[in-house]
Amino acid sequence: MFINIGKSKWMKLILFITTFAFVGTAFVALIIYKFSGNIQGVAQVNGKDIPMAEFFYQVTLITRQMENQGIDTAPLKKQIYADAIRNVIDQELLFQEAQKEGLEATKEEVKRYLLDIDAFKENGKFSKSRYLAFLSQVNITPSFFEEILRKELSIRHLLTIHKVGFYLSDDEINTYINKQISKITGEFVLIKPPEYRPTKKEIKEYYKKNIEKFSGKKGKLIVIYQINIKELGSENAQKKAQQIYRKLKNNQQISEEKGVKKIFEDVVYNDEIKIPEKLKKEIKNLSKDKRILLVSEDDSYYLIKYKKDVSQPLPIEKVKDKIISKLKKEKSEKSVQKLYKEIKDIIKQEKNLKNIAVNYRAKIKKIKAETVQSVGTEYGISQEDLGKIVKSKKGQIIGPFKTPSGILIGKISKIEPPEKERKEEMEKLLKPILLETKYRTLVQMLIDKLKESSEIIINRRLLQ
């Protein structure tokens, strides 16, 4: 059943293009899910656990793909984890839908597909040694990999059914090509909002309000208790250390008493603190995952507890330019929105482009036989607005269009459709790309629809 669908080479196989390609990278998308620290797997989808092994396999694939592109993955752990979580959830949603539709791949299909993977062949025949070498490289078992293949084949069956009747209309192709290479002649006016310069007071207020965003030197807030062995005796000191350890673990208050003394409670930024050298070394091992350490010396026990990470804020002078840029951006977005509404009302009454330009002290730029795409690139116009320009009526004011630097309006006097040969050349080049883009959008819409009707819980521990 559908056994020849989507046969792939090595990289296509291990990257799982049928599901991988439809996933974005925005970590914020995870907020639509519920979170729990009590589930054993990476997530639950409609009551079914997704095993950790599947998650870490995805992490390996994503990491290797990025490293092959020359990307340093060390600082991207959170992003990689978020992408891997979303991948396995999307795959599980599609797999469950395939099961509902009776499209689940059989064990025999998986076996035939596995034996036919080129990456595992030697001299045209399946090589067990190559197969096992691959499994060893990605650190998974044969049964787990075959389960992944079963999901993958089932999803391909489902997507093949959804692809029936899927096509790209002539109108869609023509509209896209016209937005790229139609030539226009006319006039444009870019109206910019007044330049905004934040005051010293505004900069200072923003700094105080968002001081946590300007972290500089990082440290750890810790507390250290000393249990004096000489004063208490070896046996009593050991018992007291055990008692304090349990209290620290349960966040209970510790009282100073005979032989017990709090010797340090502060933020540690570096090694410049007056405590024994052995303790300084151990502090480096403290983290959210390892909060309490017991250090033994000849004359004392030391219990060190990590409370939280602390960032020492950078001085306002060092982040001033960053604050100004941020304030300007925020103000510009509001000003552009206000200007957009204002101009939208004006062009309902005023039909003379020159009068509008004079009123806003803006310059009229004349263009002659330039492609729509080049105009869009120059001003930063969206694809949707480019379509409006192509479909505009000659002699009428078009817009307003939002751009990164202001509001654009114009008047088109001539629109020249693409030359036949050029259009045919573009169609041949773009049709496969547009088809793939539309298909990805279709699959993403299916995934989004399944998410809306599903119960999804994510293991919050993976995102900490």
Side-chain angles (χ1 to χ4, degrees), residues 163-318:
K163 203 170 184 178
V164 173
F166 171 80
Y167 66 97
L168 196 66
S169 69
D170 291 339
D171 184 59
E172 287 175 299
I173 298 173
N174 289 335
T175 298
Y176 187 83
I177 293 175
N178 288 341
K179 284 193 292 186
Q180 306 302 310
I181 57 176
S182 288
K183 293 180 179 179
I184 55 176
T185 298
E187 301 173 327
F188 281 95
V189 176
L190 180 62
I191 302 169
K192 298 180 179 181
E195 186 179 357
Y196 164 70
R197 293 183 180 179
T199 64
K200 289 182 179 180
K201 183 181 178 182
E202 288 174 317
I203 294 170
K204 194 172 182 180
E205 286 178 351
Y206 186 91
Y207 177 77
K208 287 182 177 179
K209 189 177 179 181
N210 300 277
I211 197 165
E212 73 282 352
K213 295 179 181 179
F214 306 114
S215 60
K217 191 162 59 174
K218 298 184 183 297
K220 300 171 184 176
L221 175 60
I222 65 166
V223 59
I224 304 176
Y225 288 93
Q226 179 186 31
I227 297 93
N228 194 308
I229 296 174
K230 287 183 178 180
E231 194 171 345
L232 294 174
S234 178
E235 188 176 342
N236 287 334
Q238 189 175 7
K239 287 180 181 179
K240 185 59 66 176
Q242 291 171 350
Q243 290 172 6
I244 294 175
Y245 181 90
R246 284 193 292 270
K247 285 186 177 182
L248 289 174
K249 192 173 182 180
N250 295 321
N251 296 315
Q252 294 174 345
Q253 191 169 347
I254 309 297
S255 301
E256 291 194 24
E257 54 185 280
K258 180 184 177 182
V260 177
K261 184 180 179 182
K262 180 163 67 176
I263 63 169
F264 184 87
E265 183 172 17
D266 204 346
V267 178
V268 177
Y269 289 107
N270 48 43
D271 293 336
E272 296 175 6
I273 52 174
K274 294 180 180 180
I275 59 173
E277 286 298 321
K278 190 174 182 179
L279 299 189
K280 290 181 183 179
K281 293 178 182 179
E282 292 294 341
I283 287 170
K284 294 176 181 178
N285 298 320
L286 288 168
S287 67
K288 291 178 182 178
D289 299 321
K290 193 171 185 179
R291 292 180 175 271
I292 305 173
L293 288 174
L294 173 63
V295 181
S296 177
E297 292 278 27
D298 292 337
D299 58 350
S300 297
Y301 291 116
Y302 295 93
L303 280 160
I304 315 170
K305 181 174 180 179
Y306 160 94
K307 289 191 171 183
K308 63 179 179 179
D309 285 330
V310 176
S311 295
Q312 191 178 67
L314 293 167
I316 191 169
E317 292 78 17
K318 286 194 174 183

Side-chain angles (χ1 to χ4, degrees), residues 231-430:
E231 194 171 345
L232 294 174
S234 178
E235 188 176 342
N236 287 334
Q238 189 175 7
K239 287 180 181 179
K240 185 59 66 176
Q242 291 171 350
Q243 290 172 6
I244 294 175
Y245 181 90
R246 284 193 292 270
K247 285 186 177 182
L248 289 174
K249 192 173 182 180
N250 295 321
N251 296 315
Q252 294 174 345
Q253 191 169 347
I254 309 297
S255 301
E256 291 194 24
E257 54 185 280
K258 180 184 177 182
V260 177
K261 184 180 179 182
K262 180 163 67 176
I263 63 169
F264 184 87
E265 183 172 17
D266 204 346
V267 178
V268 177
Y269 289 107
N270 48 43
D271 293 336
E272 296 175 6
I273 52 174
K274 294 180 180 180
I275 59 173
E277 286 298 321
K278 190 174 182 179
L279 299 189
K280 290 181 183 179
K281 293 178 182 179
E282 292 294 341
I283 287 170
K284 294 176 181 178
N285 298 320
L286 288 168
S287 67
K288 291 178 182 178
D289 299 321
K290 193 171 185 179
R291 292 180 175 271
I292 305 173
L293 288 174
L294 173 63
V295 181
S296 177
E297 292 278 27
D298 292 337
D299 58 350
S300 297
Y301 291 116
Y302 295 93
L303 280 160
I304 315 170
K305 181 174 180 179
Y306 160 94
K307 289 191 171 183
K308 63 179 179 179
D309 285 330
V310 176
S311 295
Q312 191 178 67
L314 293 167
I316 191 169
E317 292 78 17
K318 286 194 174 183
V319 295
K320 186 178 178 181
D321 290 342
K322 186 177 180 180
I323 293 173
I324 291 172
S325 177
K326 183 71 175 176
L327 287 171
K328 279 185 173 181
K329 185 180 178 183
E330 290 178 358
K331 186 73 173 180
S332 176
E333 288 172 354
K334 292 178 181 177
S335 298
V336 167
Q337 183 62 30
K338 182 181 178 182
L339 193 59
Y340 176 81
K341 292 178 181 179
E342 187 178 295
I343 294 173
K344 194 173 183 180
D345 290 334
I346 288 173
I347 62 177
K348 289 177 183 177
Q349 308 296 328
E350 179 61 73
K351 304 302 179 184
N352 190 311
L353 197 65
K354 185 177 180 180
N355 290 343
I356 299 174
V358 170
N359 187 42
Y360 282 97
R361 296 180 183 179
K363 293 181 179 179
I364 293 178
K365 181 177 180 179
K366 295 185 178 182
I367 61 168
K368 186 176 181 180
E370 291 188 26
T371 63
V372 180
Q373 184 59 48
S374 66
V375 174
T377 302
E378 179 181 351
Y379 290 107
I381 307 172
S382 69
Q383 288 293 319
E384 183 182 354
D385 287 339
L386 289 182
K388 293 175 183 177
I389 291 175
V390 171
K391 294 178 180 179
S392 64
K393 292 182 180 180
K394 297 173 187 177
Q396 289 188 352
I397 290 181
I398 55 173
F401 304 123
K402 292 179 183 178
T403 77
S405 54
I407 303 300
L408 186 72
I409 57 174
K411 188 176 284 189
I412 305 299
S413 58
K414 186 179 181 181
I415 300 176
E416 301 174 60
E419 297 173 359
K420 185 179 178 182
E421 289 185 5
R422 178 66 173 142
K423 186 174 182 180
E424 288 175 351
E425 181 184 336
M426 286 286 287
E427 184 175 338
K428 187 177 180 181
L429 177 68
L430 291 173

Side-chain angles (χ1 to χ4, degrees), residues 117-134:
I117 294 174
D118 290 338
F120 302 150
K121 286 184 179 180
E122 191 171 4
N123 298 324
K125 293 184 179 180
F126 177 79
S127 169
K128 187 176 180 181
S129 60
R130 282 197 174 191
Y131 176 48
L132 294 177
F134 164 75

Side-chain angles (χ1 to χ4, degrees), residues 423-452:
K423 186 174 182 180
E424 288 175 351
E425 181 184 336
M426 286 286 287
E427 184 175 338
K428 187 177 180 181
L429 177 68
L430 291 173
K431 190 172 182 179
I433 299 171
L434 294 175
L435 264 170
E436 179 64 18
T437 301
K438 184 177 179 180
Y439 182 55
R440 291 185 182 193
T441 302
L442 177 75
V443 175
Q444 190 58 58
M445 287 172 64
L446 172 61
I447 292 172
D448 291 342
K449 183 180 178 182
L450 293 173
K451 283 180 181 177
E452 289 176 6

